[in-house]
Amino acid sequence: MDLATCLKKMQLVGVLAFATVDTDGAPQIRNISAIHYEEDAIYFFSARGKNFCRELQQDGRVQILCYTRYKEMIRMSGKAYAVAESEQEKLRDIIFEEQPYLGNVYPGDTRNIGIVFCIDRAEIEYFNLGVNPIFRETYQLGNAGIEEKGYYITDACIGCGTCQSSCPQRCITEGEPFTIQQNHCLHCGSCYENCPVQAIERRG
Ligand code: SF4
């Protein structure tokens, strides 16, 4: 798996769930399909009067989720910004050309009510529950950085093997200390709860 394939899969799913934060700090979620994909950014369209648009302009943080028929979850976490005025018309027309239904929603010049936003720095998590063992990997769009998540085993490990037998994915390797195969870890916390000497720590 890689970043380009994740973006392609998002494009194939088509309608994505966009989560934002409103002015009260409450989560808000919408389905969006007016999206144009490039290899280093995604662009999407919203009308200026919508709360969604206001939340993007005021806060910008957005999480985008898609789920494929093969039990793959792809989550993009980043910050959206309105593209430069000089680029708005060009990108808006590209989105309308790629998504012809938009011509019915905003016929003629009424599309001028829209703003095109861009996300070009984001963390993208790929999580496949359809394979055994499960598989996860995280990629960067732009230089967004990657926030490490999940669990790791510290040098306090006594090598008893309790974590291995409690792990539903059998993704802990024997050693000094034992190690978690991060690409196959569910982040379920079973090893953390069962370790008799609290040698397992949670990130974040
Ligand atoms: Fe296994 Fe769950 Fe621990 Fe990951 S968090 S290593 S899946 S027990």
Side-chain angles (χ1 to χ4, degrees), residues 113-179:
I113 194 64
I115 298 182
V116 176
F117 289 90
C118 174
I119 300 174
D120 55 11
R121 291 180 75 243
E123 181 182 272
I124 298 183
E125 297 167 82
Y126 174 82
F127 189 38
N128 188 346
L129 293 176
V131 292
N132 187 13
I134 67 93
F135 179 79
R136 65 162 72 245
E137 207 157 52
T138 305
Y139 314 100
Q140 288 184 73
L141 184 66
N143 58 349
I146 291 176
E147 185 192 342
E148 301 254 23
K149 294 178 182 160
Y151 296 86
Y152 65 98
I153 303 176
T154 68
D155 286 341
C157 172
I158 56 172
C160 68
T162 305
C163 56
Q164 278 184 313
S165 51
S166 71
C167 174
Q169 288 296 310
R170 295 290 187 262
C171 67
I172 298 178
T173 306
E174 204 170 320
E176 294 179 13
F178 281 34
T179 52

Side-chain angles (χ1 to χ4, degrees), residues 175-193:
E176 294 179 13
F178 281 34
T179 52
I180 296 173
Q181 298 162 37
Q182 296 295 337
N183 284 353
H184 301 302
C185 176
L186 288 163
H187 298 175
C188 70
S190 179
C191 53
Y192 174 79
E193 286 192 8

